[in-house]
Amino acid sequence: MEKTFLMVKPDGVQRNLVGEMVSRFERKGFKLVGAKLMQMSDDMAKTHYDEHQDKPFYGELVEFITSGPVFAMVWEGENVIAIARDMMGKTNPLEAAPGTIRGDYGMTVGKNIIHGSDSPESAEKEINLFFQDNEIKTYSKQDSEWIY
Ligand code: GTP
Ligand code: MG
């Protein structure tokens, strides 16, 4: 089954949105297979955001994501990568539709609450960057036959 990496950013943690973020993906029907509250190192942040290293906001991005704890998660489900991105909404909260996470909670592009992998390749890279194999759990859930 497909997996994606999602992360509540430091603003989401500070604004008490960890529970709400977990709840949204749980209620949708996805399965939580890994999660931890952690502080990203400078090196880790640079690796995570290496695709943006030539952008003018790269320094700000690394500084912000390392400014406080983040809540890193791995979620599993059919088409979870694309569906989670839809649930997050557009990158800039000003353009994100109401009902999406960024539409409901975000105000600025820098502090947009949540990160989500944008492709199978980035999901694999990000899951491996944040989690050891033994931190990802394989289990069946009793509700799966009611979801699929
Ligand atoms: P992520 O899931 O966080 O990767 O968001 P995204 O895939 O929707 O956006 P993208 O990968 O293009 O950019 C990564 C992050 O950089 C965004 O989530 C924003 O927080 C931040 N970002 C993007 N554009 C800007 C910008 O113009 N200014 C600032 N300050 N931050 C930006
Ligand atoms: Mg991105």
Side-chain angles (χ1 to χ4, degrees):
M1 189 75 87
E2 189 171 278
K3 290 184 180 63
T4 197
F5 173 73
L6 302 179
M7 172 170 67
V8 185
K9 296 183 182 183
D11 53 328
V13 173
Q14 292 294 330
R15 292 179 53 195
N16 308 310
L17 291 171
V18 169
E20 169 69 12
M21 294 304 110
V22 172
S23 184
R24 283 189 177 221
F25 295 101
E26 276 183 332
R27 282 183 288 153
K28 174 69 178 170
F30 294 125
K31 189 201 289 183
L32 184 63
V33 296
K36 57 185 168 186
L37 185 74
M38 57 179 291
Q39 173 71 45
M40 283 177 75
S41 68
D42 207 53
D43 278 353
M44 194 176 184
K46 285 179 173 154
T47 304
H48 176 64
Y49 281 131
D50 58 5
E51 67 175 305
H52 297 302
Q53 61 187 322
D54 298 327
K55 309 255 172 75
F57 56 86
Y58 178 65
E60 213 179 297
L61 201 53
V62 170
E63 196 179 324
F64 174 64
I65 209 70
T66 57
S67 68
V70 296
F71 191 69
M73 302 169 279
V74 180
W75 288 87
E76 189 177 277
E78 281 182 19
N79 301 307
V80 64
I81 298 172
I83 296 172
R85 294 277 298 182
D86 278 349
M87 290 170 67
M88 288 161 51
K90 291 228 175 111
T91 307
N92 187 342
L94 288 175
E95 297 166 3
T100 65
I101 291 166
R102 288 159 172 175
D104 286 350
Y105 299 111
M107 289 290 193
T108 68
V109 71
K111 296 191 174 79
N112 61 0
I113 317 288
I114 191 164
H115 164 84
S117 306
D118 59 11
S119 66
E121 294 70 35
S122 67
E124 193 185 347
K125 175 195 152 190
E126 291 166 4
I127 290 169
N128 289 328
L129 178 64
F130 283 83
F131 289 88
Q132 305 286 328
D133 285 351
N134 65 6
E135 293 176 309
I136 310 289
K137 304 304 171 193
T138 303
Y139 65 107
S140 51
K141 275 180 80 234
Q142 57 166 12
D143 59 6
S144 62
E145 67 182 283
W146 299 100
I147 291 170
Y148 294 108

